[in-house]
Amino acid sequence: MSILKYIFYTGLLFIPLMSQAEITPAEWRDFSDIGADTLVGSALVLPVLEGDWTGFQHAGLSILTATAIVGTTKALVKAERPDKSDHNSFPSNHTANAFAAATNLHIRYGWQVGVPAYTIAALVGNGRVEGNKHHWEDVAVGAAIGIWSGWYFTSKNIYLFSWADRDEFGVMASLNW
């Protein structure tokens, strides 16, 4: 295992210690933003650093699919948030993206990266509830969407091919069943 992986999962092990402190709702919201962004960034950057473009594509497809499913569901359901700020509560996009990234990291790099990644994803979901932005059911469904999306695209043989010439460009996806 490369040094980057060791640094990644060793550093992530310290984040759960935050759950022992008394944290305000605003701090939980900040943590959930940072945690989700860190997981998504890690799922996209680690493969690039290793020259694993298929891993990058799998992570991107997992996260984009989770985001699309959540966005469509939010537009259809229009559930009010606990803080009454808007009607985009169900399901949690932060949680879906965090779990899509964590699942991708787990499948590609093993339990040594997966355990801390899932721990952070769970804390992101908890942060959305404690930050008064989501109900538990929003987070649970977001986690399920993220896990499914991460598993579906990372465990299958999915490849993206791009092309471009003077008159046209495009992307083709290939899935081996």
Side-chain angles (χ1 to χ4, degrees):
M1 185 173 291
S2 74
I3 189 69
L4 288 174
K5 292 180 198 171
Y6 280 114
I7 291 169
F8 174 75
Y9 74 78
T10 302
L12 293 182
L13 290 175
F14 292 101
I15 292 178
L17 297 175
M18 290 178 52
S19 65
Q20 301 301 315
E22 194 162 324
I23 302 174
T24 67
E27 290 169 333
W28 273 115
R29 286 191 298 273
D30 290 344
F31 174 80
S32 66
D33 290 341
I34 293 166
D37 291 345
T38 299
L39 285 171
V40 167
S42 297
L44 294 170
V45 169
L46 281 175
V48 171
L49 293 175
E50 295 185 348
D52 178 11
W53 296 106
T54 300
F56 174 78
Q57 292 172 352
H58 289 176
L61 286 169
S62 298
I63 294 161
L64 286 173
T65 300
T67 299
I69 292 169
V70 167
T72 302
T73 305
K74 282 180 182 281
L76 294 171
V77 174
K78 299 182 192 239
E80 188 174 35
R81 292 187 186 271
D83 68 357
K84 313 245 186 264
S85 62
D86 61 34
H87 288 83
N88 289 319
S89 186
F90 183 83
S92 170
N93 194 51
H94 280 73
T95 308
N97 286 335
F99 275 93
T103 302
N104 174 272
L105 289 166
H106 176 235
I107 292 170
R108 295 204 67 82
Y109 300 106
W111 68 268
Q112 298 93 337
V113 174
V115 168
Y118 279 124
T119 301
I120 291 172
L123 286 169
V124 166
N126 185 65
R128 301 308 288 167
V129 173
E130 294 295 327
N132 209 26
K133 285 296 184 182
H134 288 286
H135 305 282
W136 281 109
E137 59 270 18
D138 305 338
V139 168
V141 172
I145 290 168
I147 290 168
W148 173 84
S149 176
W151 174 84
Y152 184 80
F153 286 103
T154 307
S155 65
K156 305 275 183 181
N157 293 319
I158 295 179
Y159 302 96
L160 293 179
F161 305 96
S162 60
W163 75 90
D165 62 27
R166 280 184 92 200
D167 300 320
E168 62 185 16
F169 63 92
V171 176
M172 179 179 71
S174 171
L175 170 63
N176 295 330
W177 292 90

